[in-house]
């Protein structure tokens, strides 16, 4: 039987996704632009040479321009690959969108045979994805527990990009949940620590 918190989370995921899907295309573009602009001005971005980021899929905040800007600025951009059996997340250096492949869930992942693996210790900063966040930086993800596992033992900087619609009063918290240090929305920056 599923635990009560898991059921809550499942419902929360569904309702957050519905909320995000209801953002109109023009509003989506504008908010993504504002989040991006604020992000590029942040110390997080300026001080990170090796950055881990997901390849976004709507209705998530768009990360494609961040990847491109990173390449322009000579940063090392690492993107995640899921290991479904162990629920482990590994990162590979991405230098072209053509190095991506679709493995499952309609998500883009690095093609392992043509990209170099980057170990966790070499990653300075991680942009952590999620569906909902509290102002303390706690996060509801897609449910794999991939980032919770990756972040336990990660000592670098963490940040999430979110629409203000993704900020919630509270979330069902569990012992393994690791908060992100800051959140950038179209309206401002939240310092969580
Ligand atoms: N763009 C993007 N890429 C990303 C993430 C993300 O949030 N956004 N991830 C962030 O972690 C990882 C992928 N996360 C995943 C999380 C769960 C499942 C999955 O298989 N889910 C179950 C349902 C789980 C549930 O609802 O309880 C399934 O579909 O069977 C797949 C991928 C890595 N890449
Ligand atoms: N550090 C960990 N060690 C072992 N199991 C974990 C850890 N973190 C999470 N899990 C397991 O992973 C499952 C999914 O966790 P959770 O619902 O918190 O995922 P999520 O935060 O929504 O997803 P993600 O971290 O991928 O964005 C849970 O059943 C949990 O037991």
């Amino acid at each position: 039987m599923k635990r009560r918190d898991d059921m809550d989370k499942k419902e929360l995921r569904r309702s957050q996704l519905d909320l995000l899907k209801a953002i109109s295309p023009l509003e989506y573009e504008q908010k993504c632009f504002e989040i991006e602009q604020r992000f590029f001005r942040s110390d997080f971005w300026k001080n990170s040479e090796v950055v881990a980021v997901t390849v976004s899929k709507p209705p998530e905040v768009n990360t494609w321009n961040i990847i491109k800007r990173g390449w322009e600025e000579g940063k090392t951009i690492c993107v995640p690959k899921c290991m479904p059996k162990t629920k482990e997340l590994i990162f590979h250096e991405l230098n072209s969108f053509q190095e991506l492949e679709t493995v499952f869930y309609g998500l883009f992942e690095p093609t392992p045979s043509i990209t170099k693996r980057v170990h966790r210790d070499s990653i300075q900063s991680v942009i952590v994805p999620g569906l909902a966040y509290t102002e303390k930086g706690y996060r509801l993800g897609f449910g794999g527990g991939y980032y919770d596992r990756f972040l336990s033992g990660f000592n670098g900087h963490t940040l999430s990009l979110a629409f203000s619609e993704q900020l919630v009063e509270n979330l069902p918290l569990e012992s393994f949940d690791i908060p992100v240090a800051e959140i950038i929305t179209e309206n401002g920056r939240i310092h969580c620590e």
Side-chain angles (χ1 to χ4, degrees):
M1 211 173 71
K2 285 239 168 204
R3 286 171 47 234
R4 160 118 184 100
D5 268 4
D6 289 340
M7 291 305 290
D8 286 351
K9 280 191 170 183
K10 208 166 176 187
E11 276 166 36
L12 264 169
R13 276 186 195 107
R14 192 170 312 129
S15 66
Q16 275 303 119
L17 261 178
D18 288 346
L19 200 75
L20 292 178
K21 285 180 184 158
I23 299 175
S24 76
L26 299 180
E27 194 181 350
Y28 174 84
E29 282 302 324
Q30 186 62 29
K31 286 182 170 179
C32 286
F33 174 69
E34 286 165 17
I35 292 167
E36 218 168 86
Q37 291 298 298
R38 199 180 292 282
F39 176 71
F40 290 137
R41 289 195 301 267
S42 70
D43 287 341
F44 177 98
W45 178 248
K46 288 182 195 158
N47 298 331
S48 303
E49 287 313 313
V50 184
V51 187
V53 59
T54 51
V55 182
S56 66
K57 185 183 163 193
E60 295 179 304
V61 173
N62 197 318
T63 60
W64 293 64
N65 287 335
I66 292 174
I67 295 171
K68 292 181 219 168
R69 177 74 76 99
W71 289 337
E72 257 170 26
E73 296 185 8
K75 295 182 195 285
T76 301
I77 298 296
C78 312
V79 298
K81 177 168 179 59
C82 295
M83 300 285 142
K85 281 207 188 96
T86 55
K87 296 279 186 230
E88 196 193 348
L89 207 53
I90 63 170
F91 286 87
H92 284 247
E93 179 176 337
L94 193 76
N95 289 296
S96 158
F97 290 119
Q98 288 176 294
E99 293 170 352
L100 295 169
E101 62 179 359
T102 306
V103 174
F104 71 123
Y105 224 55
L107 293 173
F108 286 118
E109 294 193 336
T111 310
S113 56
I114 55 170
T115 53
K116 203 172 74 187
R117 177 156 183 202
V118 179
H119 284 273
R120 180 165 61 181
D121 297 348
S122 307
I123 297 172
Q124 261 177 309
S125 306
V126 180
I127 301 174
V128 185
L131 287 169
Y133 305 87
T134 70
E135 62 173 20
K136 296 275 182 220
Y138 285 99
R139 195 177 58 83
L140 176 73
F142 275 105
Y146 286 102
Y147 273 87
D148 288 325
R149 282 185 189 80
F150 178 82
L151 292 176
S152 80
F154 176 72
N155 289 318
H157 303 284
T158 55
L159 175 147
S160 289
L161 305 170
F163 299 113
S164 52
E165 284 87 347
Q166 289 174 272
L167 298 177
V168 296
E169 277 295 312
N170 50 57
L171 286 172
L173 291 189
E174 295 180 87
S175 57
F176 49 75
D177 284 330
I178 295 171
V180 294
E182 54 184 312
I183 301 171
I184 287 182
T185 75
E186 72 277 15
N187 294 325
R189 170 179 172 275
I190 301 164
H191 183 71
C192 306
E193 285 175 322

